Amino acid sequence: MISLAGRDILHGWGKFVLTGVGLGLLIGVTLSMAGVYRGMIDDAQALLDNSGADLWVVQKDTLGPYAEPSSLNQDTERPIRAMAGVDRAAGVTYLTMQIAHEGKDVRVMVVGAEVAEPGEPGQPPHLIAGRRIVQGHYEAVADVKTGFAIGDEVMVRRNTYRIVGLTSRMVSSGGDPMLFLSLKDAQEAQFEKDSDAIVRQRARTASSPVLNPPGNPAVAEAVNAAQASSTNVNAVLVTVVPGADAEEVAATIRRWQRVTVYTRAQMEEILVEKMIANSARQIGMFLVILAIVSAAIVAFIIYSMTIAKIREIAVLKLIGTRNRTIAGMILQQALGLGLIGFAVGKIAATFWAPFFPKYVLLLPADSVRGFVAVMAICALASLLAIQAALKVDPAEAIGG
Amino acid sequence: MAEGIRIENLVKTYGSGDTAVHALRGVDMSVAKGEVVGLIGPSGSGKSTLLKCLGAVIEPTSGRMTIGDTVIYDDGWKVNDLRALRRDLIGFIFQAPYLIPFLDVTDNVALLPMLAGKSNTQARKEARDLLEALDVAHRAAAMPSQLSGGEQQRVSIARALVNRPPVILADEPTAPLDSVRALAVVDLLNTMAKQFETAIIVVTHDEKIIPTFRRLYNIRDGVTVEERASAPSGG
Ligand SMILES: Nc1ncnc2c1ncn2[C@@H]1O[C@H](COP(=O)(O)OP(=O)(O)OP(=O)(O)O)[C@@H](O)[C@H]1O
Ligand SMILES: [Mg+2]
């Protein structure tokens, strides 16, 4: 037996292939949407992995530092470091901001990490070029996605920083590339007031008899210095000694400090289930709509291809073709359309993924799921046409 | 001659009650193997209805129908699988050739033996032999849309013959053809009927070919009258 579906497709392949390509672009969009979602999860995981922390110590009762603002005194880290099971503890700051660079605004997450010695939590774990920050001031390490190069000078607030090293895949949970500064520099950038505010603050200090007691100018100076500098951090990242149970160490910290402590698993839950959940639902909606649109397209094209063949189908039935054979022909055509569509979609999604501003992660498992879904949708969409074909009366071939 | 198809007192009523249409009121007809008979009648007389009953695509209301020794219908279908019946026992030729546009000439003909379960090679061989006999073998690889009207009609005759059915039903097979070609088609049907021992019934309005039938049934108001019992000339 020959393949009636295949012959029909070959006979009118132009229309068929064009429809398949159109469907394929739609499938490509669908795969990319799934890829964007996977990318978001991967970004979140990269953020947690690259922070190098086992525990996140944040302001009491907040979901900080990524999902909510959190502010802690930097001094919190010292007693933590002394606790049993704690290997290292280091304050970090996170601040998302726009940086002007070569006439363009680049959105980055400025990360302040302690630079005194290598390997402190919060520092970028590996560099793809250059070196780590060694001077306390005015050096920065940037993620390649910022577009910065080694030797570039970038302005953060009022100071200029020289890029000394590059990292990759260091992004915020929102996908913004990171710019690492020393903790002190970052604190200055984050908590520093602008000049006007400082002038006004100084004037208020000077006019207060309590803060500026007559005959003792040293008091006002000390107050000004205390007000200008900040020793706050957004979180203290903690690593535990090998073999120690992170959960137990977290419990110890909670007992002694007025802070909230998250383990890696809890942090992942906050990022993935709280922050990404909405985007995931959004993407889920898109996937549903795209699936419906694809189904409608396949159904329409297969239906119209079948209606155009009604007389041939009547003749086929008259000369003894089984319903099974005719239904099979239509089903095969729908699946063929799905096959072309999926191939085109997969190629398109792979091709355009790098051009997306956000990280698009195309998982093979998602492709398999997508393929199964496309085939199921096509099979479903062919039912309408099959029903129409089965209703055709072989007597129509004889006519009146 | 051996009997091809016989119908006795065949009745077909469309609908029922006040709106009932008595399309066939008791038709008798018998065609031997190797014989070609004409079926004529005015519009609305029941020709298409009779053809559909013979072709087992609509169910008669009552009567009896046999092909060879097989009882097809006797106040009810006597065969379970009407599709297999049509595939194996009845060939169809239409006014328009109704070839399958996406199959080439060979496969249009070979499709029937394939549907009957023959291998592609065997089916194509049988198709090519018939195309040879019908003088269209040189167009075997062409698509139907590339053929002339006469060639298409010959391919559709090959398709009707390929499963060697004992009966062929032809519905206005010469309507789109000029008189030379129309007569050629009738000649061809006569030759094929003898060669393949097939009973052929030709429904027609075509004045050009009516005189050529040795036997002619005229159907009026749902009843057949045998108008011509012997050959018009020389037979
Ligand atoms: N499906 C149907 N339902 C009801 N009545 C029908 C149906 N098909 C045919 N008829 C009626 O049966 C009668 C015979 O119709 P039929 O089509 O067999 O005539 P015909 O001889 O083929 O005519 P023509 O030469 O015009 O094709 C007509 O009165 C027609 O209106
Ligand atoms: Mg008619």
Side-chain angles (χ1 to χ4, degrees):
Chain A
M1 187 65 201
I2 46 175
S3 159
L4 293 175
R7 296 303 187 86
D8 189 24
I9 290 171
L10 284 180
H11 186 64
W13 65 270
K15 180 183 171 191
F16 195 82
V17 166
L18 276 182
T19 311
V21 169
L23 180 69
L25 295 178
L26 210 61
I27 292 171
V29 171
T30 311
L31 289 175
S32 300
M33 303 288 299
V36 167
Y37 171 68
R38 296 294 180 196
M40 284 187 337
I41 291 184
D42 202 66
D43 278 351
Q45 261 150 6
L47 173 68
L48 299 182
D49 286 344
N50 292 335
S51 71
D54 297 316
L55 297 173
W56 282 257
V57 178
V58 300
Q59 185 179 341
K60 184 132 186 81
D61 298 329
T62 69
L63 295 172
Y66 312 117
E68 274 182 10
S70 149
S71 182
L72 289 174
N73 194 289
Q74 193 179 346
D75 295 338
T76 319
E77 81 179 51
R78 226 167 290 145
I80 291 175
R81 216 178 274 160
M83 287 181 193
V86 172
D87 185 17
R88 292 177 180 224
V92 285
T93 63
Y94 297 103
L95 173 65
T96 301
M97 60 188 295
Q98 304 270 123
I99 292 182
H101 180 69
E102 291 172 355
K104 276 192 297 191
D105 266 356
V106 182
R107 195 173 169 75
V108 298
M109 184 184 232
V110 173
V111 181
E114 291 188 7
V115 295
E117 32 180 325
E120 289 286 1
Q123 290 179 3
H126 31 67
L127 300 179
I128 57 168
R131 58 166 174 84
R132 64 183 207 90
I133 297 169
V134 288
Q135 287 180 13
H137 282 302
Y138 310 126
E139 289 190 343
V141 167
D143 189 87
V144 282
K145 245 185 91 183
T146 55
F148 304 159
I150 290 179
D152 279 2
E153 305 219 311
V154 295
M155 278 279 277
V156 178
R157 292 280 156 87
R158 269 175 299 163
N159 296 320
T160 307
Y161 297 83
R162 173 184 294 279
I163 307 293
V164 297
L166 293 176
T167 65
S168 72
R169 286 292 291 131
M170 295 294 293
V171 291
S172 75
S173 60
D176 301 318
M178 288 180 173
L179 182 71
F180 292 87
L181 306 180
S182 75
L183 183 59
K184 274 206 178 56
D185 285 348
Q187 282 171 326
E188 220 181 295
Q190 181 167 358
F191 300 105
E192 154 190 285
K193 301 178 176 96
D194 66 42
S195 330
D196 281 355
I198 293 172
V199 168
R200 250 179 271 125
Q201 181 84 57
R202 285 201 174 146
R204 202 181 306 149
T205 306
S207 65
S208 156
V210 180
L211 299 177
N212 186 14
N216 196 351
V219 174
E221 262 166 47
V223 169
N224 279 334
Q227 281 172 342
S229 74
S230 167
T231 53
N232 275 1
V233 294
N234 298 120
V236 174
L237 303 184
V238 176
T239 57
V240 302
V241 294
D245 178 24
E247 194 55 63
E248 265 172 39
V249 177
T252 312
I253 300 174
R254 281 186 205 114
R255 203 171 315 131
W256 295 106
Q257 301 271 321
R258 287 190 39 80
V259 291
T260 295
V261 185
Y262 294 113
T263 60
R264 161 77 201 232
Q266 290 168 329
M267 211 61 206
E268 199 167 314
E269 193 192 305
I270 289 173
L271 279 181
V272 173
E273 274 157 44
K274 296 207 166 66
M275 286 184 76
I276 300 180
N278 243 339
S279 312
R281 271 196 292 276
Q282 186 122 325
I283 288 173
M285 270 306 291
F286 270 113
L287 292 185
V288 169
I289 292 170
L290 286 170
I292 293 173
V293 172
S294 310
I297 290 180
V298 176
F300 172 76
I301 201 77
I302 292 295
Y303 186 77
S304 65
M305 276 175 71
T306 304
I307 293 304
K309 284 197 295 277
I310 280 295
R311 208 195 55 201
E312 283 80 22
I313 289 172
V315 172
L316 283 172
K317 283 186 168 186
L318 184 72
I319 65 179
T321 312
R322 309 234 160 253
N323 277 346
R324 194 172 350 111
T325 310
I326 291 168
M329 171 176 86
I330 295 167
L331 180 67
Q332 283 169 35
Q333 288 181 337
L335 295 182
L337 209 52
L339 209 61
I340 295 182
F342 184 80
V344 170
K346 177 84 181 125
I347 292 168
T350 310
F351 170 77
W352 66 43
F355 298 102
F356 272 71
K358 275 204 167 195
Y359 180 50
V360 179
L361 178 60
L362 300 169
L363 292 180
D366 284 345
S367 297
V368 171
R369 266 182 224 119
F371 180 73
V372 172
V374 166
M375 287 317 198
I377 285 173
C378 286
L380 216 64
S382 69
L383 289 182
L384 201 65
I386 289 177
Q387 197 200 18
L390 295 190
K391 273 203 305 220
V392 173
D393 185 355
E396 276 172 37
I398 293 179
Chain B
M1 265 192 284
E3 189 145 271
I5 185 163
R6 166 184 291 275
I7 55 178
E8 292 161 31
N9 198 22
L10 200 74
V11 173
K12 173 66 190 176
T13 308
Y14 290 110
S16 59
D18 289 347
T19 56
V21 179
H22 301 280
L24 303 178
R25 296 164 185 271
V27 172
D28 296 307
M29 198 172 183
S30 121
V31 187
K33 286 186 175 169
E35 189 185 26
V36 181
V37 303
L39 177 65
I40 58 169
S43 184
S45 56
K47 299 185 297 295
S48 294
T49 303
L50 179 57
L51 212 56
K52 285 174 189 172
C53 289
L54 293 172
V57 288
I58 61 173
E59 184 168 4
T61 309
S62 67
R64 188 178 152 90
M65 203 160 99
T66 54
I67 293 179
D69 299 328
T70 316
V71 180
I72 306 300
Y73 182 89
D74 192 357
D75 292 340
W77 291 118
K78 298 293 159 196
V79 202
N80 290 326
D81 190 345
L82 295 179
R83 255 178 235 232
L85 166 79
R86 293 199 295 266
R87 185 189 66 207
D88 299 333
L89 300 186
I90 304 168
F92 293 92
I93 300 169
F94 312 101
Q95 174 173 346
Y98 285 177
L99 299 174
I100 306 299
F102 51 82
L103 297 180
D104 66 20
V105 164
T106 306
D107 283 346
N108 255 286
V109 178
L111 182 61
L112 271 104
M114 286 177 189
L115 288 174
K118 291 197 178 153
S119 75
N120 290 1
T121 328
Q122 176 65 22
R124 290 200 175 115
K125 187 188 172 303
E126 289 176 16
R128 266 192 295 269
D129 288 350
L130 258 178
L131 291 171
E132 197 82 53
L134 286 157
D135 206 19
V136 271
H138 60 293
R139 306 297 280 146
M143 297 307 279
S145 59
Q146 299 167 327
L147 302 185
S148 74
E151 284 170 337
Q152 289 186 22
Q153 196 57 292
R154 273 180 281 160
V155 174
S156 79
I157 292 171
R159 178 173 68 182
L161 284 165
V162 69
N163 273 353
R164 303 288 188 268
V167 177
I168 288 182
L169 305 174
D171 187 15
E172 307 269 11
T174 60
L177 304 178
D178 61 40
S179 65
V180 175
R181 282 168 199 277
L183 292 172
V185 165
V186 177
D187 267 355
L188 196 59
L189 290 177
N190 276 302
T191 314
M192 294 297 145
K194 292 215 174 59
Q195 188 173 337
F196 297 112
E197 298 227 305
T198 302
I200 302 185
I201 299 171
V202 179
V203 169
T204 190
H205 277 117
D206 193 343
E207 297 295 341
K208 306 185 290 277
I209 65 166
I210 291 173
T212 67
F213 293 107
R214 287 160 175 262
R215 286 176 61 218
L216 191 66
Y217 284 95
N218 194 343
I219 180 165
R220 264 173 221 280
D221 299 328
V223 184
T224 41
V225 181
E226 200 171 341
E227 285 210 337
R228 203 181 283 155
S230 60
S233 61

